Amino acid sequence: MNTAAGDSYLTDGYTIRSWLLTTDHKRIALLYLGSITVFFFIGGIAAALVRLNLIVPQGLLGSAEAYNRLFTMHGVVMVWFFLVPAVPVTLGNFVIPLMLGARDLAFPRLNLLSWYLFVAGGAITLWALFVGGVDTGWTFYTPLSTAYSKSHVVLAAAGIFVAGFSSIATGLNFIVSIHRLRAPGMTWYKLPVFLWSLYALSVLLVLATPVLAITLLLVMLERIFHIGVFDPAVGGDPLLFQHLFWFYSHPAVYMMILPGFGVVSEIIPAFSRKRIFGYKFVVWASVSIAVISFFVWGHHMFVAGTSIYSAVLFSILSYLVAVPSAIKVFNWLGTMHRGYIHFDAPMLYALGFIGLFTIGGLTGLWLAALAADVHLTQTYFVVAHFHYIMVGGMVSAFFGGLHYWWPKITGRMYPEMWARVAALVMFIGFNLTFFPQFILGYLGMPRRYFSYAPEFQVLNVLSSAGATILAAAYLLPLAYLTWSLVYGDRAPANPWHATGLEWRTPSPPPTANFAQTPIVTEDPYSYQPPGAVPKHG
Amino acid sequence: MASTAVAHDFQYSSPAHQAQTAIAGMWLFLATEVLLFGGLILCWIFSRHANQPGFDAGARETTLWIGTLNTALLVTSSFAYSVGLAFIRAGNARAMIWCLRAAVLLGMVFLALKFGLEWHRDFAEHLFPAAPQFKLHGAGQGGARLFFVFYFISTALHGVHMMVGIALVFWIIVRARRGAFSPLYHTPVQAVGLYWSFVDIVWLTLYPLIYLIGRG
Amino acid sequence: MRRAFAKLLGTWLLLLLLGALEFASSFLPLARCWRPLIMLPGVLMILAVAVSFMEVRKGPTIIRAFAAAAAFWLLILLALGSADPLTRIDYRLQTGEEHDATISSPP
């Protein structure tokens, strides 16, 4: 695999075999990018149909059954096949070895296996959804999922089970790579924050996902063999399912957001031309979030019938986990303060992230309070809360990172004006969609209901209108990013004059990443004021 | 495990570095397995706590001698494998192969006793919880059923891991007979040994949960 | 080799001893809620396997971190997970039967 001048990983083999049997982390990242884009649009179509249904109080689609299956499809596809994988498997896979100064991840063949497991799991789940779907919600609560639902629970659970092993393998690969493959001179405190964030994410992936695996296995066995672990009539406990499920799923939401934190932590310094404020705080905040996120799962179960003592404990711990996230917001603001801000598209997405994530995070604090949660739980307040974090935060971060590293990945610049327009439209559409939902929740509209009281209609219509705008905003990047692959300007090695080892390779990089293993002497984010030539050490 | 031969001098700083990376990867994988079985243990806790009399009544129906003998067999198998690893470190591949064969044999006897004898007995005595005719009746029946749910799932899952382990040890034996290992290079032997000992550890956890605690 | 074998043999004998201890302790007349303490020799057996057969104390520090993380997170799952059922008040259905499960006559 010698690379001559002008060659890159993209030109290193044109056959389908060279793509489907690649062990190059960069190609695997692109395989993943294609897959998650497909899943994103499938989940998005389900969301569009959900919002369509909610335009009229009696439910436009006319069927509660169909509605249940739609919001389940939306949740399942978005959570496991877009949000959890998106940044790690596309941006993470591509950038991690470059940022480390390595040739590839520690276990390249395992990386390829991860992709195949992901696709297999996705295929099984899509099959379940298209032969009729599941009506339990993405949370699969028992005993509905195990005893009463007449939908394809086992098939959907099997698909997620398989995809879970993809997550575990990826997390394992990332952790071992970050430990063992750092370039000479790259001590832990010289790692870019993106790597720390992905390391924290990977700890979550490897420790939480196995519990999901055993939980789904138990659900499948209960449904097929009626084993009874979740059935009170036999002495089982439906809450056991919720404990096991949320032990995974609460860390899962941190799996979704930590990479977003990492992306934003790369973009803000680059577009403020200033080193990150409080590097060690940001780093240890990420690690703390990873650890504490395992201690808070009971806050999803405050009204489920758990003991009040356990609820109090989980409430206190949930307040604790908010602290490191808040710290990061101050770090990003501190980075921008007295910086030289450039409002390129990645920065617009990062700024949107900070605002929307803060709103989502603060509303989480209300939900963590037992007394408030009694009224707000299972309403649209919760829906708005997590969409502010997942869509307002995580999806913005994903698009920000995609634009930021697009020149490196493809060797092309995207059209800046269209990208800014898309970021702005996304911000507007997002707020129009989800802000009314906070009000709806406060007013008492329950979630997962296909119809609602007529007095909620205006806010619902606003929300659905916003969803249309949001959909357009997501189609824009699909269009102009594809356009840029053929017509975009050729990108230089470092179009943003950013620090980081990945910017020292050509755009796009050769298969081997580096002609020589780089040696690291400088701190990360050693930005100079404008006018000075950026030092790379 | 770099992607091409050219990459060796970039990906790892030395063969020792590469070997340690593989071992680190195996330990991390085993950590994930701890959490997998951990979920089942939480299931045991919930089931026993809510149904203590019935659960323990179920536990008394297990075949103590098979469980205890199996524990001794697995511990010995783990010992045999470790001795094999010590042999290859000392340069004696032939002795290592015999030790690994012993480890596999003990593992296969375990499986034969567990699935061939013990499960057979359990089915014959109507202890399968999902079958319509369950051996135990009365108020504690639910608890007894839940005990056997845990019993069958955990031993099945452990059994699957054992079978994978046996296949891996066979693979090591085959490679060893082709002369793949030496005192300088035996990383796969060590990695598979870690997995094998771990499967032993899982059994050491299941043994009291299944055979001893309920037998009061 | 001889020293290595002696150490491993010592561990094996220790394991058998601890196993016998665990087996014997199961016959102690402990109250039902204290019976899980029978596992204590078992925990020592696990430690012996990890230290001696798996050599957790040798090798790079990272493997000890992974092993410690596994143990710690298992503890969190079990401890925080049990906090609810152990402190909860269960309201049982009145079925009218108060005795333990009994074996029926042979089918």
Side-chain angles (χ1 to χ4, degrees):
Chain A
M1 278 192 221
N2 289 317
T3 51
D7 280 356
S8 72
Y9 77 99
L10 290 169
T11 57
D12 196 357
Y14 289 104
T15 61
I16 298 208
R17 249 180 88 97
S18 74
W19 279 90
L20 293 182
L21 292 180
T22 183
T23 54
D24 181 359
H25 65 100
K26 301 182 287 298
R27 287 194 166 198
I28 293 175
L30 289 185
L31 290 174
Y32 266 115
L33 182 61
S35 320
I36 60 149
T37 306
V38 168
F39 286 118
F40 181 67
F41 282 103
I42 293 177
I45 290 169
L49 290 170
V50 164
R51 284 306 332 158
L52 184 69
N53 179 72
L54 293 173
I55 290 178
V56 292
Q58 61 272 31
L60 195 65
L61 298 173
S63 156
E65 260 308 306
Y67 184 75
N68 294 346
R69 284 160 204 252
L70 280 174
F71 71 68
T72 304
M73 180 188 209
H74 171 67
V76 166
V77 170
M78 285 306 203
V79 166
W80 281 299
F81 297 96
F82 178 73
L83 288 169
V84 168
V87 168
V89 302
T90 55
L91 303 174
N93 256 326
F94 196 95
V95 167
I96 290 177
L98 291 171
M99 268 188 181
L100 289 172
R103 279 212 52 174
D104 207 308
L105 292 177
F107 307 118
R109 285 170 296 184
L110 183 64
N111 201 14
L112 183 65
L113 178 63
S114 284
W115 182 69
Y116 277 105
L117 287 171
F118 178 74
V119 169
I124 297 171
T125 307
L126 284 181
W127 179 24
L129 296 172
F130 286 114
V131 290
V134 183
D135 63 358
T136 60
W138 78 278
T139 47
F140 289 103
Y141 276 12
T142 59
L144 173 61
S145 61
T146 48
Y148 298 102
S149 172
K150 294 186 177 34
S151 60
H152 301 271
V153 172
V154 172
L155 205 52
I160 299 165
F161 182 84
V162 171
F165 289 103
S166 168
S167 292
I168 294 172
T170 297
L172 192 151
N173 226 334
F174 285 1
I175 290 176
V176 177
S177 303
I178 293 173
H179 270 282
R180 310 286 304 176
L181 299 180
R182 285 169 281 139
M186 188 175 273
T187 58
W188 282 97
Y189 282 142
K190 289 199 165 65
L191 279 181
V193 174
F194 187 60
L195 290 179
W196 278 101
S197 305
L198 287 178
Y199 184 88
L201 153 93
S202 301
V203 171
L204 298 177
L205 284 174
V206 303
L207 293 174
T209 317
V211 176
L212 177 72
I214 195 72
T215 309
L216 291 174
L217 188 64
L218 288 172
V219 167
M220 290 190 272
L221 289 173
E222 172 115 351
R223 198 167 160 82
I224 301 172
F225 295 109
H226 310 291
I227 56 179
V229 284
F230 304 128
D231 181 2
V234 190
D237 188 356
L239 282 189
L240 171 63
F241 170 81
Q242 292 192 30
H243 279 293
L244 288 170
F245 178 80
W246 287 112
F247 180 86
Y248 161 81
S249 297
H250 188 80
V253 313
Y254 287 95
M255 287 176 203
M256 301 179 218
I257 202 64
L258 274 169
F261 289 159
V263 169
V264 168
S265 301
E266 295 300 316
I267 292 176
I268 302 268
F271 291 88
S272 307
R273 312 245 27 96
K274 197 162 158 274
R275 56 173 18 119
I276 200 159
F277 180 81
Y279 170 86
K280 285 190 183 169
F281 273 91
V282 177
V283 152
W284 287 106
S286 305
V287 173
S288 318
I289 289 173
V291 175
I292 305 175
S293 70
F294 277 95
F295 306 158
V296 302
W297 80 80
H299 67 228
H300 298 271
M301 300 165 63
F302 284 155
V303 298
T306 59
S307 104
I308 188 68
Y309 305 106
S310 127
V312 168
L313 182 59
F314 279 117
S315 176
I316 295 171
L317 290 165
S318 302
Y319 274 93
L320 194 59
V321 81
V323 172
S325 305
I327 287 177
K328 284 167 168 279
V329 175
F330 288 113
N331 284 108
W332 294 321
L333 296 176
T335 308
M336 290 192 290
H337 178 59
R338 291 176 176 264
Y340 298 87
I341 314 272
H342 303 270
F343 291 99
D344 295 297
M347 187 58 162
L348 291 180
Y349 282 114
L351 291 172
F353 176 99
I354 295 177
L356 298 175
F357 169 76
T358 302
I359 295 175
L362 287 173
T363 53
L365 292 177
W366 278 316
L367 292 167
L370 291 170
D373 188 66
V374 168
H375 298 281
L376 296 172
T377 192
Q378 305 307 317
T379 67
Y380 265 84
F381 193 91
V382 178
V383 177
H385 155 72
F386 65 71
H387 280 96
Y388 261 79
I389 301 189
M390 291 302 138
V391 184
M394 179 35 222
V395 176
S396 296
F398 174 71
F399 278 103
L402 194 62
H403 286 75
Y404 181 58
W405 280 298
W406 187 258
K408 181 60 56 187
I409 296 173
T410 61
R412 303 280 185 164
M413 297 302 293
Y414 57 83
E416 186 61 47
M417 187 210 80
W418 280 107
R420 290 178 180 173
V421 165
L424 213 54
V425 174
M426 205 179 287
F427 187 82
I428 293 170
F430 172 82
N431 279 298
L432 188 58
T433 310
F434 291 105
F435 198 83
Q437 295 185 8
F438 276 127
I439 305 172
L440 282 169
Y442 172 75
L443 292 174
M445 179 176 168
R447 61 185 288 204
R448 295 181 169 173
Y449 276 39
F450 89 110
S451 62
Y452 53 84
E455 61 258 33
F456 297 136
Q457 183 171 20
V458 173
L459 289 167
N460 269 294
V461 170
L462 277 175
S463 177
S464 296
T468 330
I469 299 174
L470 197 56
Y474 291 140
L475 289 170
L476 270 175
L478 187 64
Y480 66 70
L481 288 176
T482 314
W483 176 92
S484 78
L485 290 174
V486 183
Y487 299 107
D489 295 334
R490 295 257 173 209
N494 194 354
W496 314 118
H497 302 293
T499 62
L501 290 180
E502 74 270 27
W503 302 108
R504 292 203 213 169
T505 62
S507 299
T511 304
N513 294 345
F514 295 95
Q516 269 185 321
T517 308
I519 309 236
V520 175
T521 53
E522 289 230 321
D523 285 338
Y525 314 112
S526 52
Y527 285 101
Q528 307 297 311
V533 171
K535 281 165 57 182
H536 290 301
Chain B
M1 292 191 203
S3 35
T4 66
V6 174
H8 266 295
D9 43 31
F10 289 109
Q11 191 75 328
Y12 295 100
S13 59
S14 67
H17 184 215
Q18 182 175 25
Q20 288 178 338
T21 303
I23 297 301
M26 175 53 80
W27 272 98
L28 185 55
F29 170 69
L30 296 179
T32 73
E33 295 272 64
V34 168
L35 270 301
L36 182 77
F37 282 96
L40 267 184
I41 297 175
L42 189 67
C43 201
W44 184 95
I45 292 176
F46 268 70
S47 301
R48 184 166 188 267
H49 177 75
N51 304 281
Q52 228 164 47
F55 199 82
D56 288 353
R60 283 190 282 278
E61 297 296 319
T62 55
T63 315
L64 183 59
W65 75 265
I66 297 183
T68 311
L69 177 60
N70 268 343
T71 306
L73 287 175
L74 267 197
V75 159
T76 311
S77 173
S78 202
F79 165 65
Y81 196 103
S82 304
V83 172
L85 180 61
F87 268 124
I88 193 63
R89 282 184 176 142
N92 193 340
R94 270 196 71 224
M96 177 193 81
I97 292 172
W98 279 111
C99 287
L100 264 50
R101 281 181 177 148
V104 167
L105 184 65
L106 290 166
M108 297 204 309
V109 173
F110 173 99
L111 290 178
L113 282 174
K114 175 135 243 19
F115 299 117
L117 187 57
E118 193 179 10
W119 270 32
H120 182 77
R121 260 193 188 196
D122 297 328
F123 283 118
E125 291 188 16
H126 301 277
L127 289 170
F128 188 69
Q133 188 134 4
F134 187 64
K135 183 178 185 181
L136 294 150
H137 282 227
Q141 186 193 141
R145 276 187 194 256
L146 287 179
F147 172 82
F148 277 99
V149 165
F150 175 80
Y151 168 80
F152 280 106
I153 294 178
S154 62
T155 53
L157 196 59
H158 177 261
V160 166
H161 282 80
M162 280 280 302
M163 290 188 231
V164 170
I166 288 174
L168 286 172
V169 179
F170 263 128
W171 174 66
I172 296 291
I173 292 172
V174 165
R175 287 190 69 187
R177 293 185 69 203
R178 289 187 197 150
F181 304 122
S182 69
L184 286 177
Y185 175 70
H186 49 268
T187 314
V189 184
Q190 197 182 350
V192 170
L194 288 175
Y195 179 84
W196 191 249
S197 289
F198 176 74
V199 176
D200 187 11
I201 285 179
V202 172
W203 180 258
L204 289 176
T205 315
L206 294 179
Y207 171 63
L209 293 178
I210 294 173
Y211 297 96
L212 297 184
I213 290 180
R215 211 168 277 271
Chain C
M1 179 61 214
R2 200 160 281 184
R3 266 183 50 199
F5 182 77
K7 274 189 177 176
L8 293 171
L9 186 68
T11 307
W12 179 65
L13 291 169
L14 175 66
L15 286 169
L16 292 178
L17 185 65
L18 285 170
L21 187 63
E22 191 182 40
F23 178 81
S25 69
S26 72
F27 293 103
L28 289 172
L30 289 171
R32 275 194 182 129
C33 49
W34 293 113
R35 287 203 57 89
L37 287 176
I38 291 167
M39 285 192 79
L40 283 172
V43 171
L44 292 175
M45 289 170 81
I46 291 171
L47 282 171
V49 171
V51 166
S52 184
F53 294 162
M54 295 173 79
E55 299 173 319
V56 70
R57 288 194 301 187
K58 287 198 224 162
T61 319
I62 192 64
I63 66 170
R64 285 178 283 290
F66 290 158
F72 174 71
W73 259 274
L74 177 65
L75 232 56
I76 292 290
L77 170 65
L78 297 181
L80 276 180
S82 318
D84 170 36
L86 261 50
T87 58
R88 207 199 288 169
I89 303 170
D90 265 333
Y91 298 97
R92 300 306 216 104
L93 289 172
Q94 297 304 322
T95 56
E97 299 183 44
E98 305 301 331
H99 45 269
D100 290 340
T102 51
I103 303 173
S104 62
S105 50

